[in-house]
């Protein structure tokens, strides 16, 4: 478990967590027996009107909807957030620091549309999401608990516990504060993109085309014999395995370059995200802070109609805003907050940009032709915009402080997928895409000028890499959704490789083209496209410099000789490890 996390859950839903270990049950009994004793540790305690039940009182039955997860760590502070279905205050106990009482807040933005209620109670709810909700009813609106713990020591690990009256869920984990800014420390973080969670991912296998290289064709083309082939495990299974591998790597933080959910305006898709990150399927986020970027899917869908209409975009943002506590950018519009921000974590600076929408008057400067940026209150990213000027200031400051700089946003600027075609409305078969990443190339001059080490992106759902003018670009794709090739089968002749600058063509690598499948009869034994993540390690080198090691890792579904998956996964890495010396 990440940093020794032990989130022990026993929910009211009898179908969940049936395999709890006996040792966990022992811990549960001990903790439950001391729950809500008077007093706290040597720190101070906050209070609120929704206080925990007094001795002798019984708290209402409470379901923990999202397990505690970490946000906005600094060298002296961190936030712990969790969600319940009642307004009873909870208690956060940090060992050696103190006890803190939460102030539950009803979050009306996290409601459900009629179609979502129908799905919960329909025959195709294969994953059993909200299986405990009464027939015909929607899940109750949740209450958010946020506790900010301050006055902590830098680069220090703390055990913590969240106690929630009325719930049978015991929550224990640990968090680690960031090293002081500029401190010469080793940092490891993971980057994912495009998990696009939704309940429909269960029992839904995606297309899995193979490179045409094995049949003598171009490596970026697709073997026609695999046009209709499906991946051997469904998306839920693949993403769950991916999360388990990620936890094993024990990163300091977890970056997500957009498309966390399939539909940002659909509550069920967010519920599915948290089942993986802080719920019944893992507690990764309970010990590993998440730094997310908005993708196009985080601006998408309204239950009463509309995909990228202003009501859909604003509904989606309200859900995004309800979950994340991120550093402020002090934008002129309150809805610009949490869309772009800067994080300093020891010697590392991560700058997250919002590539959702550009200049609506010029398709060549816009990444989403369907979004009205003014009506939807989505910031422009182009030269001279508020976001651009903010990025210039933050990049210059991070460089002046000698930080190792990474930039994260969703739309890959230098890729070979369909979203790397020129921006336009003529359609993909006519070599134009209305959600192109090419307009984000405008930032390359800034990245080169201010010494950005790597750019982390997604959108094309390809795992690929290019180097251009010393900047390393990754599409970290394949987290848990599509396993695409550069083109959409059966038409694969619009791969925009010739759209890349010469240096990017020469340095290009992709899982589709450069990791060919190796079969032994019906059994896949190596290679191919699989769910995974990019691991980034930043290590001190010499007296002042750093070495950055970027390793794409993946989970490989094991097969028997008949080609049937066994249910087990091997943890592997692609043969593309990029090492960079960063001089300071």
């Amino acid at each position: 478990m990440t940093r020794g996390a032990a989130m022990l859950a026993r929910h009211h839903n009898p179908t969940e967590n049936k395999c709890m270990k006996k040792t966990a049950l022992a811990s549960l009994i001990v903790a439950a027996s001391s729950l809500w004793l008077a007093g706290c540790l040597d720190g101070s305690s906050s209070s609120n009107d929704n206080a925990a039940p007094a001795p002798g009182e019984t708290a209402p039955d409470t379901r923990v909807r999202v397990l505690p997860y970490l946000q906005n760590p600094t060298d002296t502070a961190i936030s712990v957030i969790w969600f319940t279905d009642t307004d009873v205050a909870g208690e956060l106990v940090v060992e050696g620091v103190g006890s803190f009482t939460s102030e539950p807040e009803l979050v009306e933005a996290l409601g459900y549309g009629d179609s979502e209620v129908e799905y919960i109670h329909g025959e195709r709810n294969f994953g059993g999401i909200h299986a405990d909700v009464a027939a015909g009813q929607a899940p109750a609106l949740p209450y958010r608990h946020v506790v900010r713990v301050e006055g902590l020591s830098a680069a220090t690990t703390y055990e913590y516990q969240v106690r929630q009256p009325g719930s049978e869920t015991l929550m224990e984990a640990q968090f680690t504060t960031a090293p002081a800014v500029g401190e010469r420390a080793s940092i490891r973080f993971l980057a994912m993109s495009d998990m696009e969670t939704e309940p429909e991912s269960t029992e839904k296998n995606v297309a899995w085309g193979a490179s045409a290289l094995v049949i003598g064709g171009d490596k970026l083309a697709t073997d026609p014999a695999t046009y209709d082939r499906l991946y051997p495990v469904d998306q839920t299974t693949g993403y769950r395995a991916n999360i388990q591998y990620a936890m094993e790597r024990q990163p300091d933080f977890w970056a997500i370059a957009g498309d966390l959910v399939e539909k940002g305006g659909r509550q069920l898709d967010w519920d599915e995200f948290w089942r993986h990150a802080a719920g019944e399927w893992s507690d990764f986020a309970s010990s590993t802070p998440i730094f997310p970027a908005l993708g196009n899917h985080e601006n998408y869908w309204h239950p009463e109609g509309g995909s990228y209409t202003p009501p859909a975009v604003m509904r989606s943002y309200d859900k995004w805003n309800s979950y994340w506590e991120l550093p402020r950018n002090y934008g002129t519009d309150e809805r610009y907050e949490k869309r772009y921000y800067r994080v300093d974590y020891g010697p590392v600076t991560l700058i997250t940009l919002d590539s959702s929408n550009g200049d609506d008057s010029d398709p060549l400067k816009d990444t989403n032709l369907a979004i009205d940026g003014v009506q939807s209150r989505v910031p422009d990213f182009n030269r001279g915009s508020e976001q651009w000027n903010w990025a210039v200031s933050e990049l210059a400051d991070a460089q002046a402080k000698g930080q190792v700089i990474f930039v994260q946003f969703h739309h890959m600027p230098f890729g070979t997928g369909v979203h790397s075609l020129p921006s336009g409305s003529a359609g993909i078969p006519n070599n134009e895409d209305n959600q192109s990443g090419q307009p984000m190339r405008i930032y390359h001059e800034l990245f080169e000028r201010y010494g950005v080490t790597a750019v982390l992106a997604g959108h094309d759902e390809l795992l690929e890499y290019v180097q251009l003018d010393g900047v390393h670009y990754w599409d970290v794709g394949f987290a848990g959704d599509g396993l695409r090739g550069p083109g959409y089968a059966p038409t694969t002749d619009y791969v925009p490789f010739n759209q890349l600058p010469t240096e990017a063509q020469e340095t290009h690598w992709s899982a589709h083209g450069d990791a060919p499948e190796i079969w032994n009869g019906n059994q896949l034994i190596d290679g191919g496209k699989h769910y995974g993540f990019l691991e980034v390690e930043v290590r001190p080198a010499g007296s002042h410099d750093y070495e950055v090691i970027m390793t794409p890792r993946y989970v490989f579904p094991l097969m028997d000789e008949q080609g049937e998956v066994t249910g087990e996964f091997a943890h592997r890495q692609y043969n593309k490890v990029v090492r960079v010396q960063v001089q300071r």
Side-chain angles (χ1 to χ4, degrees):
M1 301 293 284
T2 304
R3 297 190 181 281
M7 193 67 63
L8 311 177
R10 186 177 61 171
H11 299 282
H12 291 296
N13 184 347
T15 66
E16 298 175 2
N17 299 287
K18 294 181 178 179
C19 299
M20 182 184 296
K21 296 180 180 179
K22 293 182 179 179
T23 53
L25 287 171
S27 299
L28 179 63
I29 294 169
V30 171
S33 66
S34 60
L35 199 62
W36 304 110
L37 291 177
C40 61
L41 299 178
D42 56 352
S44 61
S45 175
S46 61
S47 62
N48 59 66
D49 294 334
N50 299 308
E57 293 183 357
T58 300
D61 286 345
T62 297
R63 177 176 171 80
V64 177
R65 295 277 288 275
V66 179
L67 294 175
Y69 61 96
L70 305 178
Q71 281 286 274
N72 199 11
T74 69
D75 57 349
T76 61
I78 200 166
S79 295
V80 181
I81 303 174
W82 67 100
F83 287 77
T84 64
D85 63 358
T86 66
D87 64 350
V88 177
E91 181 186 26
L92 169 68
V93 180
V94 182
E95 184 176 351
V97 177
S99 174
F100 308 86
T101 304
S102 68
E103 298 182 4
E105 174 189 5
L106 182 67
V107 189
E108 295 185 358
L110 303 185
Y112 301 81
D114 291 342
S115 63
E116 296 177 79
V117 177
E118 291 175 6
Y119 180 86
I120 290 171
H121 303 292
E123 295 179 354
R124 299 189 65 80
N125 185 4
F126 301 127
I129 192 168
H130 296 302
D132 59 334
V133 175
Q137 299 298 308
L141 287 174
Y143 290 83
R144 178 177 54 212
H145 304 249
V146 181
V147 177
R148 184 73 175 169
V149 185
E150 300 181 320
L152 303 172
S153 299
T156 301
T157 298
Y158 295 87
E159 304 288 336
Y160 76 89
Q161 200 177 85
V162 171
R163 303 168 177 173
Q164 187 65 51
S167 172
E168 296 182 4
T169 303
L170 171 69
M171 297 161 283
E172 296 179 332
Q174 55 185 210
F175 61 74
T176 302
T177 51
V181 175
E183 180 180 334
R184 292 189 60 75
S186 293
I187 304 298
R188 174 188 294 158
F189 69 92
L190 307 183
M192 292 186 187
S193 181
D194 296 271
M195 52 278 289
E196 295 184 25
T197 59
E198 58 175 342
E200 291 86 346
S201 292
T202 299
E203 297 193 18
K204 182 179 180 180
N205 302 57
V206 299
W208 188 39
S211 170
L213 183 64
V214 296
I215 59 170
D218 187 279
K219 71 176 186 178
L220 293 184
T222 300
D223 178 357
T226 64
Y227 283 165
D228 299 321
R229 189 183 64 169
L230 297 179
Y231 196 61
V233 301
D234 68 15
Q235 296 170 74
T236 297
T237 303
Y239 184 42
R240 286 178 66 177
N242 194 18
I243 290 288
Q244 292 302 313
Y245 188 16
M247 294 174 69
E248 178 186 293
R249 299 305 301 166
Q250 299 189 358
D252 293 290
F253 60 86
W254 175 15
I256 306 178
D259 281 7
L260 289 69
V261 295
E262 177 69 24
K263 298 181 179 70
R266 187 184 190 223
Q267 186 55 41
L268 284 181
D269 295 7
W270 283 107
D271 295 344
E272 191 79 0
F273 176 85
W274 292 112
R275 292 175 90 183
H276 288 281
E280 65 200 86
W281 292 333
S282 95
D283 59 2
F284 189 24
S286 299
S287 295
T288 309
I290 301 175
F291 298 127
L294 284 110
N296 57 295
H297 282 265
E298 277 71 60
N299 294 280
Y300 171 68
W301 196 76
H302 194 285
E304 297 176 1
S307 52
Y308 292 107
T309 61
V313 174
M314 289 201 282
R315 174 187 173 90
S316 299
Y317 175 80
D318 288 341
K319 292 183 183 294
W320 175 272
N321 185 48
S322 298
Y323 284 119
W324 306 115
E325 182 181 310
L326 302 166
R328 294 206 59 191
N329 61 35
Y330 298 97
T332 57
D333 189 322
E334 64 181 0
R335 284 180 172 262
Y336 290 0
E337 293 291 346
K338 304 182 186 180
R339 283 186 168 270
Y340 54 92
Y341 58 94
R342 169 180 171 177
V343 170
D344 291 311
Y345 201 98
V348 170
T349 291
L350 175 66
I351 291 178
T352 297
L353 301 178
D354 181 13
S355 61
S356 299
N357 190 65
D359 182 348
D360 293 329
S361 67
D362 185 351
L364 297 181
K365 297 180 179 179
D366 197 0
T367 53
N368 194 320
L369 306 189
I371 290 179
D372 183 323
V374 174
Q375 294 296 318
S376 301
R377 296 166 68 179
V378 179
D380 185 6
F381 56 71
N382 283 283
R383 183 179 284 109
S385 67
E386 184 174 330
Q387 182 174 190
W388 173 279
N389 293 336
W390 175 89
V392 170
S393 175
E394 298 301 329
L395 286 166
D397 180 74
Q399 183 187 54
K401 288 182 167 64
Q403 293 290 94
V404 182
I405 307 172
F406 298 87
V407 175
Q408 170 186 231
F409 53 84
H410 184 57
H411 295 74
M412 174 64 160
F414 299 102
T416 63
V418 293
H419 293 313
S420 295
L421 291 165
S423 181
S425 57
I428 291 171
N430 295 310
N431 292 302
E432 287 188 353
D433 179 56
N434 62 6
Q435 296 192 46
S436 171
Q438 280 201 27
M440 289 303 291
R441 293 182 180 186
I442 195 172
Y443 277 89
H444 179 69
E445 61 171 287
L446 294 185
F447 300 158
E448 182 183 5
R449 182 192 316 167
Y450 293 112
V452 171
T453 297
V455 173
L456 311 170
H459 195 43
D460 272 322
E461 296 183 18
L462 289 171
L463 174 59
E464 61 181 336
Y465 161 87
V466 300
Q467 178 182 334
L468 185 62
D469 299 319
V471 183
H472 302 265
Y473 287 87
W474 288 93
D475 178 337
V476 300
F478 296 167
D481 186 52
L483 293 166
R484 292 180 186 165
Y488 284 153
T491 305
T492 60
D493 57 357
Y494 43 69
V495 177
F497 189 75
N498 62 359
Q499 295 285 323
L500 297 177
T502 301
E503 183 183 353
Q505 292 184 33
E506 293 171 349
T507 57
H508 178 268
W509 176 93
S510 73
H512 177 84
D514 296 288
E517 298 172 1
I518 301 174
W519 291 81
N520 179 20
N522 293 323
Q523 183 182 37
L524 180 67
I525 58 175
D526 201 7
K529 298 175 297 191
H530 306 281
Y531 295 119
F533 53 87
L534 181 71
E535 179 178 279
V536 181
E537 295 184 87
V538 179
R539 301 174 180 174
S543 301
H544 304 284
D545 300 339
Y546 286 90
E547 181 183 33
V548 176
I549 305 170
M550 294 172 278
T551 306
R553 299 184 180 276
Y554 65 98
V555 287
F556 183 86
L558 298 177
M559 296 181 178
D560 60 24
E561 293 181 355
Q562 287 71 45
E564 299 294 330
V565 291
T566 67
E568 297 181 346
F569 291 81
H571 294 169
R572 298 182 179 179
Q573 67 182 54
Y574 286 104
N575 188 26
K576 185 59 180 180
V577 178
V578 177
R579 296 177 179 268
V580 182
Q581 297 297 316
V582 181
Q583 296 182 343
R584 287 293 176 257

